Amino acid sequence: MHFPDDVIVRSATLDEVRIISSWAQRESWQPGVGDADAFYAADPDAFFVAELDGELLGSISAARYGTEYAFVGHYVVDPRHRNESLGHVIVGAVAPTLEGLRIGIDGVEVQVPTYASLGFELVHWISRHGGNPTAVLDALPASVGVTVEAVNEVSEALIDFDANHVPERREAFARTWYAAGSSRQSLMVREGQHIVGLATVRPVMGGGSRIGPLFAESDDVAVALLRECALIAQQWEGDLFIDIPDPNEAARALAARCGLTPGFACARMYRGGIPELPLEQIYGNTSFELG
């Protein structure tokens, strides 16, 4: 069966983005509780669904940050209709909106050759590490001299610090993602008036919790943020997960010290140029869905 003449690819509603998030859970991608609402608020025009006779069959997102960069995610096709060209229809419908932009993706291993054939270059792997948050607390003593604060207001300084760790400033996303809410908590560390660390922790659909991002200018700051995230995560039953760029050896060593073991992985790939990012400060990726 082939869909090019029948399928409709259109913008998704918030309720449909929530459905897409449930698909991500079905794929064992462990979306965070409330992620769909935060993603949609950051860029309502980023989400698309493939529809046939009123039935949703697939999805994709293409979130723009600034004027020169976009991140593609939420690429899911109903398992009943895979290998039937539906994915090509979805990508083909969205591709014209991304012309001339640098594009980033986090691709599952099986799709890497396909993305490479479309001009994407594999830069590094990002591995999800997971384990018991209590074990993290047992492994990490309270950090002397590092004070972790709750983020109660998303300031320009916080948005600037976030922007230092991503390919292009993402103000709308940052204002939504780091805002305090019932299903997430963001934390920061300051030295004087300067932010030197930032992290968010939230519960996962189906149980457990995820950290994303964890940006830190030093190991001591990373340790303090990870410890505080683990403390908060104890309220949500299940394991704690963090997605670590493989080039950050200090982050991987910290995870091993805490009993967080690697499992699921995605390939960070770019088309249109590779950005220079301080990977040594990225102890945890923000999300596989929106970069």
Side-chain angles (χ1 to χ4, degrees), residues 222-258:
V223 166
L225 286 169
L226 178 57
R227 191 180 194 282
E228 191 66 24
C229 285
L231 187 63
I232 294 170
Q234 287 188 307
Q235 67 183 290
W236 303 307
E237 295 183 3
D239 284 346
L240 173 65
F241 298 92
I242 182 170
D243 302 331
I244 300 175
D246 283 3
N248 190 330
E249 295 182 3
R252 290 190 285 113
L254 177 58
R257 173 182 168 189
C258 297

Side-chain angles (χ1 to χ4, degrees), residues 16-67:
E16 288 169 339
V17 173
R18 292 170 179 157
I19 292 172
I20 294 169
S21 194
S22 72
W23 291 352
Q25 180 187 8
R26 181 186 64 197
E27 299 290 330
S28 300
W29 295 348
Q30 299 173 300
V33 173
D35 282 6
D37 291 58
F39 290 155
Y40 188 81
D43 187 355
D45 297 324
F47 298 88
F48 302 86
V49 290
E51 180 183 64
L52 181 66
D53 297 330
E55 181 182 5
L56 300 183
L57 301 179
S59 64
I60 197 169
S61 63
R64 289 173 176 259
Y65 299 130
T67 59

Side-chain angles (χ1 to χ4, degrees), residues 16-181:
E16 288 169 339
V17 173
R18 292 170 179 157
I19 292 172
I20 294 169
S21 194
S22 72
W23 291 352
Q25 180 187 8
R26 181 186 64 197
E27 299 290 330
S28 300
W29 295 348
Q30 299 173 300
V33 173
D35 282 6
D37 291 58
F39 290 155
Y40 188 81
D43 187 355
D45 297 324
F47 298 88
F48 302 86
V49 290
E51 180 183 64
L52 181 66
D53 297 330
E55 181 182 5
L56 300 183
L57 301 179
S59 64
I60 197 169
S61 63
R64 289 173 176 259
Y65 299 130
T67 59
E68 299 179 356
Y69 179 68
F71 193 89
V72 173
H74 293 98
Y75 181 39
V76 186
V77 172
D78 188 306
R80 297 171 299 168
H81 297 291
R82 291 176 182 171
N83 301 314
E84 296 176 351
S85 79
L86 180 57
H88 294 287
V89 176
I90 297 172
V91 172
V94 175
T97 70
L98 302 175
E99 289 184 4
L101 300 179
R102 172 188 287 163
I103 305 171
I105 57 173
D106 286 329
V108 296
E109 184 174 6
V110 68
Q111 290 292 342
V112 168
T114 298
Y115 298 140
S117 71
L118 296 172
F120 286 89
E121 183 176 353
L122 196 162
V123 180
H124 59 76
W125 290 89
I126 302 172
S127 299
R128 178 159 296 167
H129 291 64
N132 192 316
T134 301
V136 175
L137 295 173
D138 290 342
L140 301 179
S143 298
V144 177
V146 178
T147 301
V148 177
E149 308 172 44
V151 173
N152 296 314
E153 178 184 357
V154 181
S155 65
E156 288 297 321
L158 187 148
I159 296 171
D160 289 342
F161 184 78
D162 174 81
N164 291 337
H165 300 86
V166 291
E168 189 162 346
R169 185 180 178 88
R170 51 183 186 178
E171 183 165 350
F173 176 87
R175 291 195 181 281
T176 300
W177 191 256
Y178 296 116

